[in-house]
Amino acid sequence: MASEKIIDGKAFAAALRGRIATGVAAFKAQTGRAPGLAVVLVGEDPASAVYVRSKGKACREVGMESFEHRLPADTTQETLIELVEQLNDNPAVDGILVQLPLPDGLDDKKVIDMIDPDKDVDGFHPVNAGRLAIGANALTPCTPLGSLMLLKDRIGDLSGKEAVVIGRSNIVGKPMAQLLIQENATVTLAHSRTVDLPAVIRRADIVVAAVGRPNMVRGDWLKPGAVVIDVGINRIASDEPGKTRLVGDVAFDEAESVAGAITPVPGGVGPMTIAVLLRNTLVAASRREGLADPEGL
Ligand code: NDP
């Protein structure tokens, strides 16, 4: 039987996708068109190809239009930027996602900089990072926004909570800290130079681990009752010879007995990312049409 401590990201994401489908139907009724998401994949990286396929499928399932662009690994920066510019100009496209990492020789940052910030559904453009920092209407990176949704669903008001985010990447850690600040939490952003990380974490009512180190956060680092969001996705050798399995950044079995609630890996934050991508696409489409942001998302 599933423990009540376990935060079921899969179920939450499924319910969110249901609300998005309702929002998409309303958008269609108002505008006569479906929101459109363009996903660009350069090269043959098998993991990226799987992500791109699942994004397309998830789009169609909520009634959105999906445009897939596959370019060979030897695509030049100019060709890729030309495609991004075409997508910026295409009125049927509300969201543009360039699957990262790009193959060697292409500059992720330069390509992201070319995406129209109002179509930047990954929320990686510097304009959206700036909007998030000043509390303006940003398109917010999907994984941290999904993590925040899970936290609010479990805790309710985050005001005054001590939150520790481990990891300061532009994709997860920093936007996560910004979101928690907006929710009036007291936020510490820890990283590889943090001194005595266990002591820092022991203060926290909320721990978000986004490091990429298997099982790094131990059970005895946690304050009893803390809510733990494990963003990490790490593949390690399994007990079965020749097989691998996914684990998070938090030693789950130890942490589960101390934490008030915890996301599993897989099945916690992971499923939220694509659901929030769809949410961001619907938000981007609504804003581009001059409509209010959809409610309940
Ligand atoms: P990055 O590698 O960009 O950042 C890792 C961060 O962890 C850095 O800020 C680094 O600090 C910090 N760090 C490294 N070692 C330590 C340590 N010993 N103690 C404290 N902090 C440390 O990773 P991402 O943010 O891109 O991703 C983090 C994890 O989340 C990965 O496992 C990734 O796979 C996963 N992920 C999951 C997603 C999902 O669920 N859909 C989406 C995105 C990521 P410093 O800055 O000092 O180097």
Side-chain angles (χ1 to χ4, degrees), residues 23-35 62-65:
V24 168
F27 178 90
K28 281 182 180 165
Q30 281 174 288
T31 64
R33 71 176 186 93
V62 295
M64 290 184 185
E65 191 153 5

Side-chain angles (χ1 to χ4, degrees), residues 53-231:
R53 266 201 303 280
S54 20
K55 284 166 186 170
K57 182 166 168 274
C59 251
R60 291 185 289 276
E61 279 171 4
V62 295
M64 290 184 185
E65 191 153 5
S66 156
F67 307 95
E68 258 178 57
H69 295 268
R70 287 167 180 267
L71 302 176
D74 60 0
T75 298
T76 63
Q77 181 97 358
E78 291 70 36
T79 306
L80 180 54
I81 286 180
E82 245 169 60
L83 172 61
V84 168
E85 284 172 338
Q86 279 168 25
L87 297 171
N88 284 342
D89 292 340
N90 183 344
V93 172
D94 298 290
I96 302 170
L97 180 150
V98 178
Q99 185 67 45
L100 301 178
L102 290 169
D104 288 347
L106 296 173
D107 184 338
D108 293 8
K109 195 179 161 307
K110 283 199 178 130
V111 173
I112 287 167
D113 282 356
M114 295 309 296
I115 297 174
D116 177 347
D118 294 334
K119 295 190 177 188
D120 166 41
V121 283
D122 254 343
F124 295 163
H125 192 286
V127 165
N128 280 314
R131 286 176 180 159
L132 180 62
I134 64 169
N137 254 0
L139 286 167
T140 305
C142 301
T143 302
L145 183 52
S147 301
L148 183 77
M149 288 176 181
L150 294 178
L151 279 171
K152 287 174 74 173
D153 183 61
R154 181 54 70 120
I155 301 175
D157 185 9
L158 306 188
S159 193
K161 302 281 183 203
E162 283 277 350
V164 173
V165 178
I166 321 163
R168 56 174 162 181
S169 72
N170 292 331
I171 292 173
V172 188
K174 281 184 202 154
M176 188 73 233
Q178 298 287 2
L179 287 168
L180 288 162
I181 291 168
Q182 265 174 31
E183 295 296 326
N184 301 313
T186 302
V187 180
T188 302
L189 188 47
H191 47 75
S192 67
R193 313 292 170 86
T194 297
V195 175
D196 200 354
L197 185 61
V200 172
I201 293 176
R202 243 172 242 129
R203 296 203 301 260
D205 306 306
I206 293 167
V207 178
V208 181
V211 181
R213 286 176 161 247
N215 301 324
M216 184 187 84
V217 176
R218 311 307 304 247
D220 64 2
W221 296 12
L222 298 171
K223 173 168 150 181
V227 177
V228 180
I229 301 289
D230 190 351
V231 180

